[in-house]
Amino acid sequence: MIIKSTEFIKSAVKPNQYPEGDLPEIAFAGRSNVGKSSLINVLVNRKNLVRTSSTPGRTQLINFFNVNGTFTLVDLPGYGFARVPLAVKKEWGPMMETYFAKRANLRGVVLILDVRRTPVAEDSQMLQWLRAYDIPALLVVTKCDKVSRNEQGKQADIIARTLGVLKSELCFFSAHTRNGTESVWKRIEALLDENGAS
Ligand code: GTP
Ligand code: MG
């Protein structure tokens, strides 16, 4: 993917706040601190297009970014963070499900998982929603720089088993080494192309 331009569009909670238009869209989901924003920044080759978690606040909103004027990347709010107030936690489910249900131009969701952790209930919930709404899921296992090759293989087994997917469906990535960037882009491009976009 050749990145010519990237631009923050807006933040939203409700459908009437989502950007208008029908550009194809790819969203990024995963537990808090898993590395969603870092993955997006590496993909678009920008250090700080998306703020990483040292600046909280925006992270509880749905953030839309335009790329090349031709498609949209969406940073979804992270989940599973203990310090988030209960009221915010309660809003997360409906906010996510509404987005998946209503966003007709959504072509796929990148579900990001930490190579060192066993997936949590919200990760499985996310996959269930995607299946229910017939939205393709791309599973990216990140922070692979933190483990050995051997450990990566073992964790991949655990992650695949916990989520009930094939190990071959997992895409390995590191925002630090940038390993896996090409293969993540290839899979995203396939999702964008599938319905005649590019
Ligand atoms: P929220 O927006 O709070 O939900 O977090 P996030 O999922 O966007 O995570 P973010 O990209 O902000 O990264 C969280 C922390 O993990 C930061 O300190 C990153 O530097 C670190 N991090 C992200 N990706 C990687 C990676 O591939 N390797 C390593 N070693 N650290 C990473
Ligand atoms: Mg983030």
Side-chain angles (χ1 to χ4, degrees), residues 4-129:
K4 293 175 221 150
S5 66
T6 46
E7 182 193 11
F8 172 68
I9 309 169
K10 66 187 300 196
S11 299
V13 176
K14 298 179 284 188
N16 65 4
Q17 301 164 333
Y18 301 164
E20 286 176 21
D22 55 3
L23 287 181
E25 193 159 290
I26 301 288
F28 295 74
R31 62 188 294 166
S32 197
N33 215 45
V34 73
K36 294 176 296 298
S37 304
S38 302
L39 170 61
I40 298 174
N41 284 330
V42 168
L43 287 175
V44 300
N45 206 15
R46 288 265 302 268
K47 272 217 175 75
N48 265 315
L49 174 72
V50 189
R51 293 175 199 177
T52 46
S53 54
S54 51
T55 44
R58 259 177 150 200
T59 54
Q60 280 148 19
L61 303 169
I62 303 174
N63 292 308
F64 296 82
F65 300 87
N66 181 284
V67 182
N68 293 349
T70 55
F71 63 94
T72 309
L73 297 183
V74 178
D75 195 12
L76 293 171
Y79 44 80
F81 190 45
R83 275 186 284 162
V84 169
L86 191 63
V88 173
K89 278 187 191 164
K90 279 189 181 156
E91 282 163 23
W92 175 81
M95 177 162 55
M96 288 295 94
E97 198 170 3
T98 302
Y99 173 74
F100 296 141
K102 303 262 163 124
R103 199 61 172 158
N105 52 329
L106 180 62
R107 297 289 166 80
V109 172
V110 181
L111 178 59
I112 304 156
L113 303 146
D114 188 321
V115 71
R116 301 163 302 172
R117 289 169 176 267
T118 302
V120 293
E122 288 99 329
D123 295 317
S124 300
Q125 171 70 260
M126 193 64 73
L127 268 188
Q128 276 169 29
W129 276 328

Side-chain angles (χ1 to χ4, degrees), residues 143-158:
K143 305 198 183 182
C144 288
D145 57 284
K146 298 255 195 192
V147 296
S148 67
R149 270 279 152 155
N150 186 29
E151 190 68 11
Q152 178 179 308
K154 281 188 202 158
Q155 286 299 113
D157 282 328
I158 294 171

Side-chain angles (χ1 to χ4, degrees), residues 138-181:
L138 168 49
L139 303 174
V140 172
V141 176
T142 192
K143 305 198 183 182
C144 288
D145 57 284
K146 298 255 195 192
V147 296
S148 67
R149 270 279 152 155
N150 186 29
E151 190 68 11
Q152 178 179 308
K154 281 188 202 158
Q155 286 299 113
D157 282 328
I158 294 171
I159 291 168
R161 205 179 323 125
T162 309
L163 294 177
V165 300
L166 296 173
K167 202 173 163 182
S168 58
E169 286 182 61
L170 306 177
C171 202
F172 299 94
F173 177 80
S174 162
H176 278 197
T177 64
R178 298 177 165 239
N179 282 345
T181 307

